Amino acid sequence: KKFKEAETALIRIRKDKPAQENHRIKLFSLTIVIEQDLYLQCGEYEKAMAALPGMEKAIKQMKQGLAPEVLLIMEYNMAVIYFGAGCYGDARKKFYQILNQSKGLMREALYCFARLLLLLCHFEMGEYEWLNQGMGAASRFLSGRKRLYATESLMLQFLRKQSSLPPDDARLIDALQLLKRRIIQAQSDPHEGRVREYFDFISWIDSKIEKKPFAQVDGRCCQALTAAIGQLRAAGGSMQSPRVDAVRPTRPVSPTARPRARSWPRRCRPG
Protein backbone atom coordinates (compact mmCIF):
# COMPACT_ATOMS: atom_id res chain seq x y z
CA LYS A 1 0.00 0.00 0.00
CA LYS A 2 2.74 2.46 0.94
CA PHE A 3 4.74 1.56 -2.18
CA LYS A 4 1.70 2.33 -4.32
CA GLU A 5 1.16 5.57 -2.44
CA ALA A 6 4.74 6.61 -3.15
CA GLU A 7 4.38 5.72 -6.84
CA THR A 8 1.20 7.82 -7.03
CA ALA A 9 2.97 10.75 -5.38
CA LEU A 10 5.80 10.53 -7.93
CA ILE A 11 3.35 10.58 -10.82
CA ARG A 12 1.56 13.61 -9.35
CA ILE A 13 4.76 15.56 -8.77
CA ARG A 14 6.07 14.83 -12.26
CA LYS A 15 3.01 16.51 -13.73
CA ASP A 16 4.19 19.82 -12.30
CA LYS A 17 6.47 21.81 -14.57
CA PRO A 18 8.52 24.47 -12.74
CA ALA A 19 9.06 27.57 -14.83
CA GLN A 20 12.79 27.84 -14.21
CA GLU A 21 15.17 25.38 -15.87
CA ASN A 22 17.31 24.80 -12.78
CA HIS A 23 14.19 23.94 -10.77
CA ARG A 24 13.09 21.49 -13.46
CA ILE A 25 16.51 19.81 -13.31
CA LYS A 26 16.44 19.59 -9.53
CA LEU A 27 12.91 18.19 -9.58
CA PHE A 28 13.92 15.62 -12.18
CA SER A 29 16.92 14.56 -10.08
CA LEU A 30 14.81 14.32 -6.94
CA THR A 31 12.14 12.13 -8.50
CA ILE A 32 14.60 9.84 -10.31
CA VAL A 33 16.67 9.04 -7.23
CA ILE A 34 13.55 8.56 -5.10
CA GLU A 35 12.06 6.22 -7.70
CA GLN A 36 15.30 4.23 -7.83
CA ASP A 37 15.45 4.10 -4.06
CA LEU A 38 11.89 2.84 -3.74
CA TYR A 39 12.56 -0.06 -6.08
CA LEU A 40 15.81 -0.93 -4.33
CA GLN A 41 14.51 -0.53 -0.79
CA CYS A 42 11.64 -2.92 -1.48
CA GLY A 43 13.50 -5.34 -3.71
CA GLU A 44 11.12 -4.55 -6.59
CA TYR A 45 13.64 -5.51 -9.26
CA GLU A 46 11.07 -6.64 -11.81
CA LYS A 47 9.37 -3.24 -11.67
CA ALA A 48 12.74 -1.51 -11.67
CA MET A 49 13.87 -3.37 -14.79
CA ALA A 50 10.62 -2.44 -16.54
CA ALA A 51 11.24 1.23 -15.64
CA LEU A 52 14.93 1.30 -16.62
CA PRO A 53 14.58 1.94 -20.39
CA GLY A 54 12.43 5.01 -19.84
CA MET A 55 14.61 6.12 -16.95
CA GLU A 56 17.82 5.84 -18.99
CA LYS A 57 16.24 7.72 -21.90
CA ALA A 58 15.11 10.54 -19.60
CA ILE A 59 18.53 10.75 -17.92
CA LYS A 60 20.22 10.92 -21.33
CA GLN A 61 17.97 13.81 -22.35
CA MET A 62 18.69 15.72 -19.12
CA LYS A 63 22.35 14.72 -18.87
CA GLN A 64 23.83 18.08 -19.80
CA GLY A 65 22.04 19.83 -16.95
CA LEU A 66 22.75 17.26 -14.25
CA ALA A 67 25.53 17.69 -11.72
CA PRO A 68 28.24 15.05 -12.41
CA GLU A 69 27.98 13.56 -8.92
CA VAL A 70 24.19 13.25 -9.12
CA LEU A 71 24.50 11.58 -12.52
CA LEU A 72 26.96 9.06 -11.08
CA ILE A 73 24.56 8.29 -8.23
CA MET A 74 21.85 7.54 -10.77
CA GLU A 75 24.25 5.33 -12.74
CA TYR A 76 25.29 3.50 -9.58
CA ASN A 77 21.67 2.86 -8.64
CA MET A 78 20.96 1.48 -12.09
CA ALA A 79 23.97 -0.82 -11.83
CA VAL A 80 22.67 -2.15 -8.50
CA ILE A 81 19.23 -2.69 -10.08
CA TYR A 82 20.82 -4.78 -12.83
CA PHE A 83 22.79 -6.72 -10.22
CA GLY A 84 19.73 -7.32 -8.05
CA ALA A 85 17.76 -8.54 -11.06
CA GLY A 86 20.50 -11.05 -11.89
CA CYS A 87 21.60 -9.21 -15.04
CA TYR A 88 25.26 -9.41 -14.07
CA GLY A 89 26.62 -8.63 -17.53
CA ASP A 90 24.67 -5.36 -17.68
CA ALA A 91 25.67 -4.55 -14.10
CA ARG A 92 29.32 -5.25 -14.90
CA LYS A 93 29.17 -2.93 -17.91
CA LYS A 94 27.57 -0.17 -15.85
CA PHE A 95 30.11 -0.49 -13.02
CA TYR A 96 32.97 -0.34 -15.55
CA GLN A 97 31.47 2.86 -16.97
CA ILE A 98 31.32 4.37 -13.48
CA LEU A 99 34.90 3.39 -12.64
CA ASN A 100 36.26 4.68 -15.93
CA GLN A 101 35.06 8.17 -15.09
CA SER A 102 37.20 10.51 -13.03
CA LYS A 103 37.39 9.56 -9.36
CA GLY A 104 37.29 13.26 -8.59
CA LEU A 105 33.64 13.37 -9.68
CA MET A 106 32.37 10.96 -7.03
CA ARG A 107 32.61 10.23 -3.35
CA GLU A 108 35.48 7.93 -2.49
CA ALA A 109 33.12 5.45 -0.84
CA LEU A 110 30.96 5.26 -3.97
CA TYR A 111 34.02 4.51 -6.08
CA CYS A 112 35.12 1.80 -3.64
CA PHE A 113 31.76 0.05 -3.53
CA ALA A 114 31.47 0.20 -7.32
CA ARG A 115 34.80 -1.66 -7.40
CA LEU A 116 33.62 -4.21 -4.87
CA LEU A 117 30.31 -4.84 -6.63
CA LEU A 118 32.16 -5.24 -9.92
CA LEU A 119 34.09 -8.07 -8.24
CA LEU A 120 30.79 -9.64 -7.19
CA CYS A 121 29.64 -9.48 -10.81
CA HIS A 122 32.73 -11.47 -11.84
CA PHE A 123 32.07 -13.89 -8.97
CA GLU A 124 28.46 -14.43 -10.00
CA MET A 125 29.44 -14.96 -13.63
CA GLY A 126 32.26 -17.38 -12.78
CA GLU A 127 34.86 -15.06 -14.29
CA TYR A 128 37.56 -16.06 -11.82
CA GLU A 129 40.50 -14.82 -13.87
CA TRP A 130 38.96 -11.34 -14.08
CA LEU A 131 38.02 -11.61 -10.42
CA ASN A 132 41.60 -12.30 -9.37
CA GLN A 133 42.91 -9.43 -11.47
CA GLY A 134 40.27 -7.10 -10.10
CA MET A 135 41.00 -8.07 -6.51
CA GLY A 136 44.61 -7.02 -6.91
CA ALA A 137 43.62 -3.58 -8.17
CA ALA A 138 40.88 -3.22 -5.55
CA SER A 139 43.22 -4.23 -2.72
CA ARG A 140 45.83 -1.69 -3.79
CA PHE A 141 43.26 1.07 -4.03
CA LEU A 142 41.56 0.26 -0.72
CA SER A 143 44.88 -0.05 1.13
CA GLY A 144 45.56 3.59 0.25
CA ARG A 145 42.36 4.82 1.86
CA LYS A 146 42.58 6.60 5.18
CA ARG A 147 39.52 4.88 6.58
CA LEU A 148 38.74 1.42 5.26
CA TYR A 149 35.40 -0.15 6.09
CA ALA A 150 35.79 -3.55 7.74
CA THR A 151 33.10 -4.90 5.41
CA GLU A 152 35.25 -4.10 2.39
CA SER A 153 38.20 -5.95 3.88
CA LEU A 154 36.07 -8.93 4.91
CA MET A 155 34.49 -9.22 1.46
CA LEU A 156 37.89 -9.08 -0.26
CA GLN A 157 39.27 -11.75 2.08
CA PHE A 158 36.30 -13.99 1.30
CA LEU A 159 36.58 -13.53 -2.46
CA ARG A 160 40.33 -14.12 -2.40
CA LYS A 161 40.11 -17.37 -0.41
CA GLN A 162 36.76 -18.93 -1.35
CA SER A 163 35.78 -17.66 -4.79
CA SER A 164 36.78 -20.80 -6.69
CA LEU A 165 34.77 -23.22 -4.53
CA PRO A 166 31.67 -24.83 -6.14
CA PRO A 167 28.31 -23.35 -4.97
CA ASP A 168 27.34 -26.60 -3.21
CA ASP A 169 30.66 -27.05 -1.44
CA ALA A 170 30.13 -27.23 2.33
CA ARG A 171 33.29 -25.19 2.86
CA LEU A 172 31.77 -22.31 0.88
CA ILE A 173 28.58 -22.34 2.95
CA ASP A 174 30.65 -22.39 6.16
CA ALA A 175 32.73 -19.49 4.88
CA LEU A 176 29.61 -17.52 3.99
CA GLN A 177 28.07 -18.08 7.41
CA LEU A 178 31.30 -16.94 9.07
CA LEU A 179 31.45 -13.92 6.77
CA LYS A 180 27.87 -13.02 7.69
CA ARG A 181 28.59 -13.16 11.42
CA ARG A 182 31.68 -11.00 11.03
CA ILE A 183 29.93 -8.39 8.91
CA ILE A 184 26.96 -8.20 11.31
CA GLN A 185 29.41 -7.70 14.17
CA ALA A 186 31.35 -5.05 12.23
CA GLN A 187 28.21 -3.17 11.19
CA SER A 188 27.11 -2.76 14.80
CA ASP A 189 29.54 0.16 14.75
CA PRO A 190 27.77 3.37 13.61
CA HIS A 191 30.50 4.22 11.11
CA GLU A 192 30.54 0.72 9.66
CA GLY A 193 26.75 0.73 9.45
CA ARG A 194 27.00 3.26 6.64
CA VAL A 195 28.05 0.42 4.36
CA ARG A 196 24.38 -0.56 4.17
CA GLU A 197 23.75 2.76 2.43
CA TYR A 198 25.57 1.44 -0.63
CA PHE A 199 24.69 -2.24 -0.75
CA ASP A 200 23.14 -4.89 1.48
CA PHE A 201 25.97 -7.40 1.60
CA ILE A 202 24.21 -9.45 4.28
CA SER A 203 21.24 -10.08 1.99
CA TRP A 204 23.66 -11.08 -0.76
CA ILE A 205 25.31 -13.57 1.59
CA ASP A 206 21.89 -14.91 2.59
CA SER A 207 21.03 -15.44 -1.07
CA LYS A 208 24.13 -17.60 -1.46
CA ILE A 209 23.48 -19.58 1.72
CA GLU A 210 19.79 -20.10 0.92
CA LYS A 211 20.53 -20.68 -2.79
CA LYS A 212 17.94 -18.13 -3.81
CA PRO A 213 18.11 -15.22 -6.27
CA PHE A 214 19.22 -12.02 -4.62
CA ALA A 215 15.94 -10.37 -5.62
CA GLN A 216 14.02 -12.86 -3.45
CA VAL A 217 16.14 -12.12 -0.39
CA ASP A 218 16.80 -8.39 -0.73
CA GLY A 219 14.18 -5.83 0.23
CA ARG A 220 12.80 -7.77 3.18
CA CYS A 221 12.62 -4.46 5.02
CA CYS A 222 10.80 -1.47 3.58
CA GLN A 223 11.34 1.03 6.39
CA ALA A 224 12.24 3.92 4.11
CA LEU A 225 8.86 4.08 2.41
CA THR A 226 7.18 6.28 4.99
CA ALA A 227 10.11 8.70 4.86
CA ALA A 228 10.03 8.68 1.05
CA ILE A 229 6.32 9.47 0.99
CA GLY A 230 6.85 12.30 3.45
CA GLN A 231 9.62 13.74 1.28
CA LEU A 232 7.50 13.49 -1.84
CA ARG A 233 4.68 15.35 -0.13
CA ALA A 234 7.12 18.03 1.04
CA ALA A 235 8.49 18.38 -2.47
CA GLY A 236 4.97 18.68 -3.84
CA GLY A 237 4.35 21.59 -1.51
CA SER A 238 7.50 23.48 -2.43
CA MET A 239 8.13 22.94 -6.11
CA GLN A 240 10.12 26.14 -6.45
CA SER A 241 13.19 24.80 -4.68
CA PRO A 242 13.47 21.03 -4.41
CA ARG A 243 16.93 20.32 -3.01
CA VAL A 244 18.90 17.68 -4.83
CA ASP A 245 22.30 19.35 -4.69
CA ALA A 246 23.94 16.21 -3.32
CA VAL A 247 22.66 12.70 -3.04
CA ARG A 248 24.27 9.45 -2.10
CA PRO A 249 23.26 5.87 -2.75
CA THR A 250 21.97 3.75 0.05
CA ARG A 251 20.55 0.35 0.82
CA PRO A 252 17.92 -1.00 3.16
CA VAL A 253 18.88 -2.27 6.59
CA SER A 254 19.19 -6.02 6.84
CA PRO A 255 16.61 -7.66 9.16
CA THR A 256 19.52 -8.80 11.30
CA ALA A 257 20.95 -5.33 11.75
CA ARG A 258 19.75 -2.47 13.91
CA PRO A 259 18.19 0.35 11.83
CA ARG A 260 19.25 3.94 12.33
CA ALA A 261 16.85 6.84 12.61
CA ARG A 262 16.62 8.97 9.49
CA SER A 263 14.24 11.33 7.81
CA TRP A 264 15.14 10.51 4.21
CA PRO A 265 15.26 7.26 2.26
CA ARG A 266 18.85 6.21 2.43
CA ARG A 267 19.64 6.15 -1.26
CA CYS A 268 18.57 9.71 -1.93
CA ARG A 269 19.26 12.01 0.99
CA PRO A 270 19.84 15.63 -0.08
CA GLY A 271 22.94 17.31 1.22
Side-chain angles (χ1 to χ4, degrees):
K1 182 179 178 180
K2 287 185 178 294
F3 185 88
K4 187 63 178 178
E5 186 179 346
E7 284 187 315
T8 301
L10 275 171
I11 293 171
R12 185 178 66 251
I13 289 174
R14 281 171 170 161
K15 290 180 179 178
D16 292 320
K17 305 294 182 183
Q20 297 184 29
E21 178 67 15
N22 65 319
H23 290 163
R24 286 198 297 270
I25 292 172
K26 288 183 177 181
L27 178 61
F28 172 80
S29 301
L30 176 70
T31 55
I32 286 290
V33 291
I34 287 181
E35 181 181 11
Q36 291 174 331
D37 191 52
L38 290 173
Y39 291 136
L40 289 165
Q41 290 283 358
C42 295
E44 293 283 357
Y45 292 101
E46 185 175 344
K47 290 184 177 181
M49 288 295 293
L52 271 185
M55 192 181 296
E56 291 190 294
K57 181 179 179 180
I59 291 172
K60 185 176 181 179
Q61 292 173 344
M62 299 289 288
K63 185 176 181 178
Q64 296 303 317
L66 296 173
E69 183 182 1
V70 174
L71 180 60
L72 285 168
I73 296 299
M74 294 176 181
E75 295 287 339
Y76 181 92
N77 289 349
M78 288 189 287
V80 177
I81 287 171
Y82 280 126
F83 185 94
C87 300
Y88 302 117
D90 291 321
R92 177 187 58 185
K93 180 180 179 180
K94 188 70 72 174
F95 283 125
Y96 269 126
Q97 290 174 350
I98 293 170
L99 294 171
N100 285 335
Q101 300 189 53
S102 172
K103 288 185 290 185
L105 296 177
M106 68 182 84
R107 290 184 176 87
E108 185 180 50
L110 175 61
Y111 188 85
C112 292
F113 285 110
R115 275 187 174 274
L116 191 50
L117 289 173
L118 175 60
L119 296 181
L120 289 188
C121 289
H122 291 315
F123 176 83
E124 292 283 9
M125 298 176 73
E127 298 176 338
Y128 300 119
E129 182 176 350
W130 286 104
L131 176 60
N132 291 330
Q133 292 180 13
M135 280 193 292
S139 296
R140 288 190 296 272
F141 176 78
L142 293 174
S143 65
R145 289 186 62 194
K146 295 180 180 179
R147 196 171 186 182
L148 179 68
Y149 288 110
T151 300
E152 295 170 323
S153 179
L154 289 168
M155 288 298 302
L156 284 175
Q157 290 174 20
F158 166 78
L159 290 172
R160 187 178 296 111
K161 295 179 181 179
Q162 313 295 340
S163 61
S164 60
L165 292 176
D168 294 328
D169 195 307
R171 292 172 295 172
L172 178 61
I173 302 302
D174 290 342
L176 285 164
Q177 291 172 338
L178 177 61
L179 175 64
K180 179 180 177 179
R181 291 195 297 271
R182 288 178 171 175
I183 289 180
I184 289 174
Q185 182 179 10
Q187 291 187 1
S188 64
D189 176 82
H191 167 72
E192 190 72 25
R194 293 185 63 183
V195 170
R196 297 191 300 271
E197 300 176 354
Y198 294 89
F199 187 74
D200 189 350
F201 289 98
I202 293 174
S203 287
W204 179 81
I205 295 169
D206 283 340
S207 75
K208 300 293 106 182
I209 294 173
E210 299 173 18
K211 297 181 175 58
K212 294 180 179 179
F214 178 74
Q216 291 183 16
V217 177
D218 192 35
R220 288 170 169 169
C221 292
C222 206
Q223 299 172 354
L225 271 178
T226 301
I229 293 168
Q231 180 61 31
L232 287 168
R233 287 171 175 165
S238 56
M239 289 284 83
Q240 295 307 307
S241 58
R243 297 182 62 231
V244 200
D245 301 315
V247 294
R248 67 184 180 193
T250 54
R251 294 296 301 122
V253 180
S254 166
T256 54
R258 191 185 326 175
R260 296 177 300 152
R262 62 191 184 278
S263 58
W264 254 79
R266 296 179 170 208
R267 190 172 290 271
C268 48
R269 184 183 307 163

